[in-house]
């Protein structure tokens, strides 16, 4: 039953093959062919540009990355390969804990058979738990922690607890007139901080006048700024790390950033030393051949240079404060002793060398 229609369709197609196209259909076909040709040419041109860029990636890597980077530091810096690996693994684990990637850190500890004490993990676990709550605008855990560490925070001159109470008060104000009584009751928490934060407390209490009209349209609209939450996270991280003896930034990230700045300089110095055949001038141990400027961000402690010998002080040659108040290095002090007496090189005061006191910056 279906053979006849199929035969008819085949005959019609055969008849159309010999039929010339109309002017309209011919124009449409030529336009389609032109668009297809233009599209293919554009794709070919784009592919050529992409291929050219990709082909230059390898050359750029070879040009900008030295395969002998490890040659900058000799193996003598590490006591053993095992200790080097253990220190690196511990730095990575600490970084993961500090960034809140607890599951990744635990997996790395298991796969590397690195034994990390619970006492080491606990501060990071607690910090991440509180920070996670702050990101959800939950002040409860942070307030509980600040109150339990109130005395130590006061010794650090920290205003963390006040800022947490302040933010909770603002949170109540954002609830509108229905939260007015609760906000007034909560204001009693500001009493211990009245002397140091009087002005800020006055501003918050003054905002209650505009509560029924809406704080967002009042002179106190800045209290509702969402930036306060980011600020409290930064304040908590800084003060908590200071209290627990932790660095605010991961030591691994700081080392990596410093290495990116210092490595090109060290590579150039290494090339110059090898070219001039004076490899013995740099032992790679606890020293650098030149001073490398890493920027203010990487300044963590003061470095005192003796004004007499023009040398940086160290543990074996510490800075010594004389009775007159001037500071020189111990080596300079020993060189200036004459007949059991010491005359300050900056003032005429004579003194006993034994009266000099070591100072720590």
């Amino acid at each position: 039953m279906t053979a006849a229609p199929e035969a008819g369709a085949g005959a019609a197609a055969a008849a159309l093959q010999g039929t010339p196209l109309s002017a309209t259909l011919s124009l449409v076909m030529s336009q389609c062919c032109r668009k297809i040709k233009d599209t293919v040419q554009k794709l070919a041109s784009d592919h050529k540009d992409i291929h050219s860029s990709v082909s230059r990636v390898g050359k750029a890597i070879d040009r900008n990355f030295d395969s002998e980077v490890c040659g900058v530091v000799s193996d003598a810096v590490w006591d053993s390969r095992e200790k080097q690996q253990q220190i690196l693994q511990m730095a990575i684990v600490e970084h993961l804990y500090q960034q809140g990637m607890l599951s990744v850190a635990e997996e790395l500890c298991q796969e590397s058979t690195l034994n990390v004490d619970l006492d080491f993990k606990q501060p990071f676990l607690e910090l991440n738990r509180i920070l996670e709550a702050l990101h959800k605008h939950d002040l409860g855990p942070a307030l509980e922690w600040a109150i339990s560490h109130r005395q130590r925070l006061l010794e650090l001159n920290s205003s963390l607890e006040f800022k947490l109470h302040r933010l909770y008060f603002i949170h109540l104000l954002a609830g509108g007139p229905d939260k007015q009584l609760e906000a007034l009751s909560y204001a009693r928490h500001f009493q211990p901080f009245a002397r140091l934060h009087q002005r800020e407390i006055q501003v918050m209490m003054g905002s209650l006048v505009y509560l029924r009209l809406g704080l967002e349209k009042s002179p106190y609209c800045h209290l509702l700024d969402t930036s306060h939450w980011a600020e409290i996270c930064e304040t908590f991280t800084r003060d908590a790390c200071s209290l627990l003896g932790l660095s605010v930034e991961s030591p691994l990230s700081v080392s990596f950033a410093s290495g990116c700045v210092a490595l090109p300089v060290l590579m150039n110095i290494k090339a110059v030393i090898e070219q001039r055949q004076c490899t013995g001038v740099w032992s790679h141990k606890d020293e650098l051949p030149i001073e490398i400027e890493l920027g203010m961000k990487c300044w963590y402690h003061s470095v005192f240079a003796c004004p007499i010998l023009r040398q940086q002080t160290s543990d074996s040659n510490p800075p010594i404060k004389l009775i007159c108040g001037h500071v020189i290095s111990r080596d300079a002090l020993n060189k200036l002793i004459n007949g059991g007496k010491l005359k300050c090189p900056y003032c005429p005061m004579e003194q006993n060398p034994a009266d000099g006191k070591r100072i720590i910056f």
Side-chain angles (χ1 to χ4, degrees):
M1 298 294 293
T2 59
E6 289 180 357
L16 287 174
Q17 287 180 357
T19 304
L21 296 175
S22 64
T24 303
L25 187 57
S26 178
L27 179 62
V28 171
M29 291 296 293
S30 62
Q31 290 177 347
C32 290
C33 291
R34 190 181 302 110
K35 288 182 179 179
I36 293 173
K37 184 178 180 181
D38 293 342
T39 303
V40 171
Q41 288 180 348
K42 186 176 183 303
L43 289 174
S45 177
D46 292 344
H47 179 268
K48 182 179 179 181
D49 293 339
I50 295 173
H51 180 74
S52 177
S53 300
V54 171
S55 64
R56 290 196 295 265
V57 171
K59 296 179 181 178
I61 292 175
D62 295 338
R63 184 171 60 254
N64 293 282
F65 292 89
D66 197 310
S67 58
E68 298 297 330
V69 170
C70 296
V72 175
V73 180
S74 66
D75 293 335
V77 173
W78 306 95
D79 295 335
S80 63
R81 179 68 66 176
E82 291 75 15
K83 186 174 182 179
Q84 175 185 0
Q85 184 176 0
Q86 184 179 6
I87 292 175
L88 181 59
Q89 290 175 350
M90 197 65 187
I92 296 174
V93 168
E94 182 177 352
H95 174 79
L96 293 173
Y97 276 125
Q98 193 154 359
Q99 297 300 315
M101 294 182 280
L102 308 179
S103 59
V104 181
E106 291 293 338
E107 188 68 25
L108 178 59
C109 290
Q110 292 181 7
E111 295 187 5
S112 62
T113 65
L114 186 66
N115 186 19
V116 180
D117 295 334
L118 182 60
D119 294 338
F120 177 82
K121 301 178 186 178
Q122 191 59 37
F124 297 107
L125 297 175
E126 188 175 19
L127 288 179
N128 282 289
R129 176 181 64 84
I130 296 174
L131 282 173
E132 185 177 353
L134 287 176
H135 289 311
K136 296 178 181 178
H137 293 189
D138 180 8
L139 293 167
L143 274 169
E144 182 181 352
W145 184 91
I147 293 172
S148 63
H149 295 84
R150 176 178 295 169
Q151 187 58 40
R152 295 183 63 189
L153 287 171
L154 290 175
E155 293 173 358
L156 294 174
N157 295 322
S158 170
S159 59
L160 174 64
E161 186 180 351
F162 168 75
K163 290 183 177 180
L164 288 169
H165 285 305
R166 176 177 177 270
L167 193 57
Y168 191 84
F169 183 83
I170 294 173
H171 174 68
L172 293 175
L173 293 181
D178 295 339
K179 293 289 185 177
Q180 183 174 4
L181 292 178
E182 187 177 352
L184 282 170
S185 177
Y186 192 83
R188 289 178 294 180
H189 289 88
F190 297 139
Q191 183 179 357
F193 312 100
R195 184 175 60 86
L196 296 176
H197 301 279
Q198 181 179 359
R199 176 58 182 166
E200 294 173 87
I201 294 173
Q202 289 174 345
V203 170
M204 286 186 290
M205 301 310 295
S207 65
L208 291 170
V209 177
Y210 293 88
L211 195 58
R212 295 188 179 278
L213 300 176
L215 288 182
E216 60 277 0
K217 298 180 181 179
S218 73
Y220 299 92
C221 60
H222 64 277
L223 294 177
L224 302 178
D225 195 335
T226 56
S227 63
H228 293 308
W229 288 99
E231 180 186 351
I232 200 64
C233 289
E234 293 178 3
T235 303
F236 171 78
T237 302
R238 184 186 66 249
D239 292 352
C241 288
S242 179
L243 194 68
L244 298 173
L246 303 173
S247 60
V248 178
E249 295 186 51
S250 161
L252 181 64
S253 61
V254 173
S255 300
F256 180 80
S258 302
C260 291
V261 176
L263 191 58
V265 181
L266 295 177
M267 292 297 296
N268 292 335
I269 290 297
K270 176 176 176 289
V272 171
I273 290 175
E274 292 178 349
Q275 184 179 4
R276 298 187 179 181
Q277 298 180 355
C278 51
T279 55
V281 299
W282 182 21
S283 65
H284 296 81
K285 189 72 173 178
D286 298 332
E287 66 177 12
L288 288 175
I290 60 171
E291 183 177 351
I292 300 176
E293 181 62 46
L294 297 178
M296 291 290 294
K297 188 177 180 180
C298 293
W299 284 17
Y300 294 98
H301 57 82
S302 299
V303 176
F304 176 75
C306 175
I308 305 301
L309 300 181
R310 307 291 182 183
Q311 294 177 350
Q312 289 187 4
T313 53
S314 61
D315 292 337
S316 59
N317 180 31
I320 304 295
K321 184 176 78 69
L322 306 179
I323 295 177
C324 56
H326 294 108
V327 180
I328 60 177
S329 66
R330 177 174 290 172
D331 288 349
L333 182 145
N334 294 332
K335 292 179 181 295
L336 293 172
I337 296 175
N338 186 10
K341 291 291 183 178
L342 170 67
K343 184 176 181 179
C344 177
Y346 290 97
C347 66
M349 180 180 291
E350 287 191 0
Q351 51 201 291
N352 187 346
D355 293 335
K357 294 184 179 180
R358 175 177 178 175
I359 61 175
I360 300 175
F361 289 97

